[in-house]
Amino acid sequence: AYYGRAVPLALRRFAKLPCRLHSPSRLRATDLLLPDGLPTGVHVVMLMTRRKHIEHADSWLGVRSACERLLAERGIALKGEMQMYICCLLPRFWPLRLIWRYRMRHWMKLLQEEEHTQVHILSCTTWASGFFGKMQIHNDGRAHTMVIRNDGEILWAGHDRFQEKFQEREMVNVFKEESQLREEAKLLEGGGMEAIDSPKESDPLRESEDVS
């Protein structure tokens, strides 16, 4: 995704974004700095500037689950990774913020009821001071979703709903490359990478390669 710029978004870095992490089990939100405060590994971050953007979240929940399962089946998943962070970029006008916060509580309740424990609601009130400029993307009313590392590297980016028909192959390629990098790192380190043990009954990446 270029978003009207000469340099693809995947070649840029995720700009630092101070957020508040909300939880239905806590009375007060806690501070979280994106991307530095993320656990080790790869994660999904969705940036919302409009409340209706939440309609696109379902498609990304499926992507998150599929990628998490894929890494686990290869035995290279890192503990605590493949979390999804829905970041609400709040407006400056206080009455509108109250409406946002009301909706955020509703979304958190739904996530809790559906046991999406690896999906989190964030809020940010300082994004207007140049965040989109630093990212070199347009604030044009779309929801931007990115697959990033906790060091700020952007592996993949899209907007609004995940379009499986057009974007699935690109996502598979991203995680194929990620898998190769981790497997090479394990060989170099003598298998010292901390990974989650899981059965390797099937490998969606290899199946995709065979089909192509």
Side-chain angles (χ1 to χ4, degrees):
Y2 280 79
Y3 296 117
R5 306 291 182 175
V7 180
L9 186 57
L11 296 181
R12 307 172 202 161
R13 309 288 292 185
F14 193 93
K16 295 184 184 300
L17 188 65
C19 300
R20 300 281 286 171
L21 174 62
H22 301 268
S23 171
S25 61
R26 297 177 181 175
L27 295 178
R28 294 185 178 182
T30 56
D31 293 332
L32 178 66
L33 178 64
L34 295 180
D36 298 7
L38 299 179
T40 302
V42 176
H43 305 277
V44 178
V45 176
M46 181 177 182
L47 303 174
M48 296 179 14
T49 55
R50 299 182 180 182
R51 295 189 300 278
K52 67 177 182 179
H53 289 161
I54 197 66
E55 298 172 358
H56 306 311
D58 278 347
S59 64
W60 292 102
L61 291 176
V63 172
R64 189 212 68 79
S65 298
C67 293
E68 178 187 44
R69 185 168 57 252
L70 187 151
L71 292 174
E73 288 174 348
R74 283 203 160 188
I76 54 175
L78 303 176
K79 292 182 178 179
E81 78 170 330
M82 283 316 302
Q83 308 283 316
M84 179 172 174
Y85 298 88
I86 301 174
C87 185
C88 304
L89 304 179
L90 302 183
R92 293 181 177 180
F93 193 45
W94 271 100
L96 292 179
R97 286 189 185 182
L98 294 177
I99 298 175
W100 270 88
R101 295 188 187 282
Y102 172 78
R103 296 302 299 165
M104 287 162 56
R105 286 195 293 270
H106 175 68
W107 299 333
M108 285 188 290
K109 183 178 179 181
L110 288 178
L111 290 172
Q112 187 178 40
E113 290 175 352
E114 297 177 9
E115 298 183 348
H116 290 295
T117 57
Q118 292 177 301
V119 182
H120 314 279
I121 300 293
L122 307 179
S123 67
C124 178
T125 59
T126 60
W127 63 275
S129 58
F131 173 73
F132 279 95
K134 294 175 183 176
M135 292 287 292
Q136 299 184 41
I137 57 178
H138 299 294
N139 181 15
D140 54 6
R142 295 184 292 183
H144 297 283
T145 304
M146 306 171 201
V147 177
I148 69 172
R149 297 186 198 277
N150 65 314
D151 63 359
E153 181 182 357
I154 300 173
L155 303 181
W156 192 89
H159 61 270
D160 294 337
R161 181 176 297 275
F162 181 77
Q163 302 179 48
E164 184 175 351
K165 180 179 179 180
F166 303 105
Q167 298 174 325
E168 182 179 16
R169 182 179 295 275
E170 296 177 5
M171 188 67 73
V172 167
N173 288 337
V174 166
F175 279 88
K176 179 178 69 175
E177 294 175 5
E178 178 68 16
S179 298
Q180 291 174 345
L181 288 174
R182 295 190 184 187
E183 289 168 355
E184 290 172 2
K186 287 179 68 175
L187 291 175
L188 292 174
E189 297 173 5
M193 177 181 289
E194 183 182 12
I196 300 174
D197 293 329
S198 57
K200 303 179 182 179
E201 298 177 357
S202 61
D203 192 333
L205 285 179
R206 298 189 189 278
E207 294 174 3
S208 176
E209 293 177 53
D210 295 337
V211 171
S212 59

